Amino acid sequence: MSGSEGTATAATTTSGDTATTAPGGAGVEQDSRPARRMRRLPPSAPPRPPGPPQLDFPPVKNGLDYLTSVVEHLDETESEVTPSDVKYAVLHLQAAVEVLFKARLLAEHWTLVFTHPGEANRKALEEATLNSVSTDKAIARLRTIVGVPITDKEQKALTRLTEDRNKLQHFGLTHNARAVEARAGAVLDFLIHFIEDQLLPYLDEPEMAETERELDGLREGLNNINSYVRERMNRIGGELKAEGVEARTIECVSCQENALVVQPCTTSGLPDDWGDRATCRFCSTSWPPQGLHIHFRGRPVWEEADICPMCSEAALGIDVRVRSEPEPVYFCFACSHIAKEIAPCDGCGKPIDVSDEGSAPLCRPCEDAWEPSPAAEYGPPYEDPADYGFDEDAKLPAYENSWFPRKGDGA
């Protein structure tokens, strides 16, 4: 027997926050947080009979373990969030999304977890050699086939998470911790409700009880993350109000918090550099004004719909959430003008602000150039009675031969 064959397999155990190794293996340093998390999990479930089950518990358990890791990495009450924490939070959150979505598709029908359901076979599923569905396609199938209520806002957050994961996984980028933490809170909240509504009903009683215990811990960690976000935003909100910049503070493109302060441009003609960059008070991400205009420009309703009715610069954004306004508005990234509603000028077609009732359908230049016709100024032309066969000089007929009643006659 060779030495390698006679060597015992190393078994690692944990005690407190320190990882030790049983005799027969070299010591391996372990992260204390994953070690504590592994101790909370029960032994693996016994093997199930061959064939696709209605819902296999390990995917759900695996997804919950990923979510627990996300909470531990982003919870500011435990320790300071480091770039490494941010990286693993993004990777594990995306992994949880993939695992839990596929678990729900498996509960609906086992072929739905294949990239091409028409080519699905049971052997590939049992041996886990299948090409599984992507996250985007899984979301589409959950919405259209399963009927899971995923809103457009939630889908946008999930898509943004996939983009973050791809950049970190393949290019090693370190994202802004504040932005990721805020976005992760929204996805975590969605996934907790997804587990409650879409996965718990398919579990047996022991599995359901264990899942609910894990969910309690996730809710507590999520509350810590959200509480931190709320406390920070409350402080930032007070600062924005005191500075009087709420009317030019918009929702940040990176973290989706209403804390991106736009600096008005004092130069006309929109040069290549519009002026100072807009900076988010929450995540510290900065944006050039022209970049924000491109992001919020969308698809104009008519050709010149992005021209500001106030400064006449092509810098108007559509559906911008401004901190001082309850609903999305039109916002100019050059002069910070806010318009609740715009419409094309009847004369030149350029946008005009029609937020106030009774606004003229003409812009100021067209209104100044407009000259009313005499008919419009003095009313309709005078009509002569002779045009209708009447003669003003004709004498009235005698009463005897007239239909006019005599004085004193009854009605």
Side-chain angles (χ1 to χ4, degrees), residues 276-348:
D276 296 336
R277 296 168 67 94
T279 302
C280 179
R281 299 289 181 87
F282 183 85
C283 69
S284 301
T285 304
S286 62
W287 288 82
Q290 56 268 43
L292 291 172
H293 172 236
I294 293 173
H295 180 83
F296 286 101
R297 185 173 186 266
R299 300 182 62 182
V301 180
W302 68 95
E303 183 178 358
E304 298 179 315
D306 64 336
I307 296 179
C308 175
M310 178 62 68
C311 67
S312 299
E313 303 288 0
L316 197 65
I318 302 172
D319 289 335
V320 183
R321 294 190 175 274
V322 182
R323 188 173 184 85
S324 62
E325 302 296 326
E327 299 293 336
V329 295
Y330 295 89
F331 181 84
C332 178
F333 292 98
C335 69
S336 301
H337 176 69
I338 294 174
K340 297 179 181 178
E341 185 178 357
I342 64 173
C345 170
D346 285 349
C348 64

Side-chain angles (χ1 to χ4, degrees), residues 121-160:
N121 65 84
R122 288 175 176 269
K123 183 179 179 180
L125 179 66
E126 295 167 6
E127 296 177 355
T129 58
L130 70 157
N131 291 324
S132 60
V133 65
S134 66
T135 303
D136 290 340
K137 289 185 177 179
I139 294 173
R141 292 177 186 180
L142 288 170
R143 297 182 76 177
T144 59
I145 299 176
V146 183
V148 177
I150 301 176
T151 66
D152 292 341
K153 183 177 181 180
E154 291 167 342
Q155 183 174 2
K156 182 179 179 181
L158 293 166
T159 301
R160 185 66 183 272

Side-chain angles (χ1 to χ4, degrees), residues 17-83:
D17 289 342
T18 304
T20 60
T21 304
V28 179
E29 183 180 354
Q30 293 187 357
D31 186 353
S32 60
R33 290 183 294 185
R36 290 198 300 268
R37 188 168 67 251
M38 290 301 295
R39 288 201 303 273
R40 292 201 300 270
L41 298 177
S44 301
R48 293 178 178 266
Q54 177 71 6
L55 179 66
D56 198 7
F57 177 66
V60 179
K61 180 178 177 180
N62 193 23
L64 288 169
D65 190 48
Y66 278 128
L67 292 182
T68 301
S69 171
V70 172
V71 169
E72 292 176 347
H73 280 297
L74 293 182
D75 191 351
E76 292 278 355
T77 62
E78 294 291 333
S79 61
E80 182 181 356
V81 175
T82 66

Side-chain angles (χ1 to χ4, degrees), residues 50-276:
Q54 177 71 6
L55 179 66
D56 198 7
F57 177 66
V60 179
K61 180 178 177 180
N62 193 23
L64 288 169
D65 190 48
Y66 278 128
L67 292 182
T68 301
S69 171
V70 172
V71 169
E72 292 176 347
H73 280 297
L74 293 182
D75 191 351
E76 292 278 355
T77 62
E78 294 291 333
S79 61
E80 182 181 356
V81 175
T82 66
S84 179
D85 286 325
V86 174
K87 180 181 75 171
Y88 285 108
V90 171
L91 298 179
H92 291 176
L93 186 59
Q94 174 64 19
V97 169
E98 294 179 358
V99 169
L100 296 174
F101 281 5
K102 291 173 185 177
R104 182 61 183 91
L105 291 175
L106 182 64
E108 190 70 17
H109 198 275
W110 64 275
T111 60
L112 293 177
V113 298
F114 285 75
T115 301
H116 303 290
E119 302 174 2
N121 65 84
R122 288 175 176 269
K123 183 179 179 180
L125 179 66
E126 295 167 6
E127 296 177 355
T129 58
L130 70 157
N131 291 324
S132 60
V133 65
S134 66
T135 303
D136 290 340
K137 289 185 177 179
I139 294 173
R141 292 177 186 180
L142 288 170
R143 297 182 76 177
T144 59
I145 299 176
V146 183
V148 177
I150 301 176
T151 66
D152 292 341
K153 183 177 181 180
E154 291 167 342
Q155 183 174 2
K156 182 179 179 181
L158 293 166
T159 301
R160 185 66 183 272
L161 174 66
T162 302
E163 295 172 353
D164 288 347
R165 191 284 305 267
N166 291 341
K167 293 176 182 178
L168 287 168
Q169 181 78 25
H170 300 295
F171 300 102
L173 298 181
T174 301
H175 279 222
N176 186 291
R178 306 303 183 192
V180 171
E181 190 168 6
R183 291 202 300 264
V187 176
L188 272 171
D189 183 64
F190 165 78
L191 287 179
I192 288 175
H193 290 293
F194 180 83
I195 295 171
E196 293 172 339
D197 301 335
Q198 301 296 331
L199 295 178
L200 279 180
Y202 294 91
L203 303 178
D204 57 31
E205 290 187 4
E207 295 167 343
M208 183 181 295
E210 176 61 24
T211 301
E212 288 179 339
R213 284 194 294 269
E214 290 288 338
L215 286 175
D216 288 340
L218 289 176
R219 293 188 193 95
E220 181 179 355
L222 178 61
N223 287 337
N224 290 340
I225 295 174
N226 288 340
S227 295
Y228 172 79
V229 172
R230 285 194 298 269
E231 289 176 5
R232 182 173 172 82
M233 280 306 301
N234 288 338
R235 178 179 59 80
I236 292 173
E239 295 174 355
L240 296 173
K241 186 175 182 180
E243 295 173 23
V245 295
E246 291 181 301
R248 51 185 175 90
T249 301
I250 68 172
E251 183 180 278
C252 178
V253 179
S254 295
C255 67
Q256 281 73 57
E257 295 296 331
N258 211 322
L260 183 64
V261 182
V262 178
Q263 303 297 332
C265 179
T266 58
T267 305
S268 61
L270 290 184
D272 293 338
D273 185 2
W274 289 14
D276 296 336

